[in-house]
Amino acid sequence: MPRERLQKLLAAAGVCSRRRAEDLLLQGRVRVNGRLAGLGDQADASTDLVELDGQPLRPAVTRQTLLLHKPPGVVSSCHDPQGRPTVLDLLPAALTEGTGLHPVGRLDIDSRGALLLTNDGALTLRLTHPRHGHGKTYRVLVQGHPSEAALAQWRRGVALDGEAALPVQLRRLRQSAASTLLEVKMREGRNRQIRRTAALLGHPVLDLLRVAIGDLQLGTLASGQWRPIDARQWDEPASGAGHQH
């Protein structure tokens, strides 16, 4: 086997994403053949002894990627210090124990809809790196009836924390006496961006559902349910699962 960067080996073993592996290397927690390893170091998994915190790496695990319909009230992380339920709690133990499965990007605790989980570190990097911008589609129920001027302002991009925002695609789907349902398509994903933007425009979010990540549709997948997907559709480096909305 060819020598590979340690970040890739750690990710392939299901330990963590490549980005997290860089932190482990910087913290001095990885050794190769007894010697402290650093960023840029390489190893051959078939002949070198790679250890994390003194424990040999497990053989590479089978790569798997899932689409989950995250319900509200569930945290998009592997562990929660406050003891709240996480997305991993929705999956069978066989999928989560020792496999390295982790969420790609986030939906905030109050939001729901499409969320990818994978143990493929390379895929995680492609889906979250800022230089990629795979579109995400949301159905957003807001309070009141936004004016056409307010929607036009949102389409142009509403600055947050003094930083300009990218334009978004937005259309009004329907409205009731007290609320309006919008479809929002966007390529960036700052922390709670949709909620913060809607609040700034005077129309707080009542419900937020992510219905698609790129061409991957949530479809009829029920809340709390998941299904495996073929990660090869993401092989082209053009994505970004973003942050919380």
Side-chain angles (χ1 to χ4, degrees):
M1 292 179 62
R3 296 176 67 80
E4 296 181 304
R5 287 185 178 271
L6 289 171
Q7 294 97 306
K8 184 174 182 180
L9 291 181
L10 288 164
V15 171
C16 57
S17 68
R18 289 199 200 187
R19 190 173 297 174
R20 172 64 177 149
E22 292 179 0
D23 294 335
L24 298 177
L25 287 162
L26 290 171
Q27 292 165 9
R29 297 170 58 184
V30 181
R31 291 180 177 270
V32 177
N33 300 327
R35 297 182 61 180
L36 195 63
L39 285 177
D41 287 354
Q42 298 183 335
D44 183 336
S46 63
T47 58
D48 293 320
L49 174 62
V50 181
E51 296 174 296
L52 172 63
D53 296 334
Q55 299 297 316
L57 287 189
R58 298 184 301 270
V61 297
T62 302
R63 288 193 231 178
Q64 52 191 358
T65 303
L66 311 176
L67 175 65
L68 171 74
H69 184 157
K70 187 192 91 66
V74 176
V75 182
S76 300
S77 62
C78 298
H79 307 283
D80 183 62
Q82 300 178 41
R84 297 171 296 182
T86 74
V87 289
L88 294 191
D89 294 328
L90 300 173
L91 304 175
L95 285 176
T96 62
E97 294 180 357
T99 63
L101 200 69
H102 56 270
V104 181
R106 293 178 183 271
L107 280 171
D108 71 62
I109 190 168
D110 297 318
S111 298
R112 58 195 181 98
L115 183 71
L116 287 172
L117 297 99
T118 188
N119 60 357
D120 184 341
L123 177 62
T124 299
L125 184 62
R126 288 201 300 275
L127 291 174
T128 56
H129 197 284
R131 73 170 175 266
H132 305 315
H134 217 106
K136 297 169 289 294
T137 306
Y138 302 84
R139 296 285 172 88
V140 185
L141 186 68
V142 299
Q143 183 176 302
H145 305 140
S147 66
E148 285 306 314
L151 296 184
Q153 184 180 354
W154 194 341
R155 290 186 186 100
R156 291 192 298 269
V158 175
L160 297 173
D161 301 323
E163 293 187 18
L166 293 178
V168 304
Q169 297 179 47
L170 185 151
R171 64 190 180 105
R172 194 191 309 259
L173 296 179
R174 63 176 181 268
Q175 62 185 41
S176 64
S179 62
T180 303
L181 183 64
L182 306 171
E183 181 184 77
V184 180
K185 295 184 179 181
M186 55 196 301
R187 287 187 170 273
E188 66 178 337
R190 300 189 213 169
N191 188 39
R192 297 176 69 88
Q193 185 172 357
I194 290 177
R195 292 182 181 277
R196 294 168 66 196
T197 300
L200 282 173
L201 295 175
H203 298 279
V205 169
L206 303 174
D207 181 57
L208 193 156
L209 171 69
R210 182 155 67 191
V211 295
I213 302 171
D215 294 330
L216 184 64
Q217 301 288 326
L218 183 64
T220 59
L221 191 64
S223 179
Q225 299 299 301
W226 58 273
R227 64 178 175 87
I229 66 167
D230 185 352
R232 287 177 296 183
Q233 67 179 288
W234 304 102
D235 283 347
E236 291 300 318
S239 188
H243 300 286
Q244 303 178 38
H245 291 284

